Amino acid sequence: MKRMFEEVLDKDEEVIKVFEPNKTKLYFASFFIYFVSVIWMFGVAVAGIVSETTNYLPYLLLAVSIFAAITITVFIFVRIYYNNLFYAYTNKRIIIRKGILGVDYKALDMKTIGAVNVYVSPLDKLLKRNTGTIMFGSMSSPIQSYNGSAGAAYKFTHIVDPYSTYREIKSKIDEFK
């Protein structure tokens, strides 16, 4: 897995460890958000169709077909996203590798990281997969809090055992201080 990051490494940089997200948590989180929003829209559309016409069966079948097609498309995109999603930390920086239509990399130098937070969501606790999110902040990309949770431009999501991973990466960050 370390070879996935070779094209973005500096000459004297080496990957210390690579992480991949928990598959069950990633799929469940993606589909949970999708199903809640689509079922709400589906319910509104069906209620409008039923109230407007007495022959609503063709419209209902069309709506179900569209729902099935969108669900299959979302599944394919989530699968591609999962296959391209990896996190790593090196002796110089953290790197996020992700993408759907192509592979993109985001990196944050260890010496600029000023804050590291661990967030275990209610969904993490509900699934009992020992997963969470590790967020990294710097002066140019701070961690922002909203509604009891937090967001960051640089984060390792759906990570197994986030607290030990946090301690591991934090000790490397502290070497730069």
Side-chain angles (χ1 to χ4, degrees):
M1 281 199 280
K2 291 181 178 181
R3 293 186 354 196
M4 288 186 262
F5 294 92
E6 284 180 353
E7 57 194 29
V8 296
L9 296 179
D10 294 339
K11 288 182 183 178
D12 60 341
E13 187 175 20
E14 69 177 67
V15 174
I16 296 172
K17 191 165 183 183
V18 176
F19 304 94
E20 60 183 325
N22 179 280
K23 189 175 189 176
T24 303
K25 171 66 176 21
L26 178 95
Y27 274 79
F28 189 83
S30 299
F31 279 99
F32 181 76
I33 293 166
Y34 164 72
F35 278 117
V36 167
S37 60
V38 168
I39 287 176
W40 178 79
M41 289 186 298
F42 184 73
V44 170
V46 168
I49 291 169
V50 169
S51 67
E52 292 293 320
T53 181
T54 56
N55 187 13
Y56 57 86
L57 188 58
Y59 298 108
L60 188 60
L61 291 174
L62 177 65
V64 169
S65 299
I66 291 171
F67 176 75
I70 292 172
T71 301
I72 290 168
T73 304
V74 167
F75 178 79
I76 290 168
F77 279 119
V78 170
R79 181 164 176 95
I80 293 168
Y81 183 73
Y82 173 77
N83 289 337
N84 289 331
L85 184 60
F86 291 93
Y87 310 107
Y89 74 95
T90 70
N91 56 336
K92 291 183 171 186
R93 57 192 170 153
I94 61 158
I95 304 172
I96 300 168
R97 178 188 189 271
K98 64 181 180 176
I100 294 176
L101 300 177
V103 176
D104 302 317
Y105 293 91
K106 285 173 53 172
L108 185 62
D109 290 339
M110 292 279 192
K111 62 185 172 194
T112 64
I113 297 174
V116 182
N117 291 353
V118 177
Y119 176 67
V120 178
S121 72
L123 187 58
D124 290 309
K125 292 178 183 177
L126 177 72
L127 292 177
K128 298 184 190 288
R129 296 283 178 188
N130 190 23
T131 57
T133 299
I134 304 170
M135 294 170 276
F136 304 93
S138 67
M139 291 297 284
S140 62
S141 60
I143 297 172
Q144 300 175 0
S145 294
Y146 47 89
N147 298 339
S149 64
Y154 298 92
K155 58 186 172 182
F156 292 3
T157 57
H158 316 295
I159 293 294
V160 175
D161 201 9
Y163 293 107
S164 68
T165 304
Y166 161 80
R167 285 189 297 275
E168 184 180 332
I169 296 172
K170 183 76 168 95
S171 68
K172 193 65 178 174
I173 293 169
D174 289 342
E175 289 177 19
F176 282 89
K177 304 287 181 193

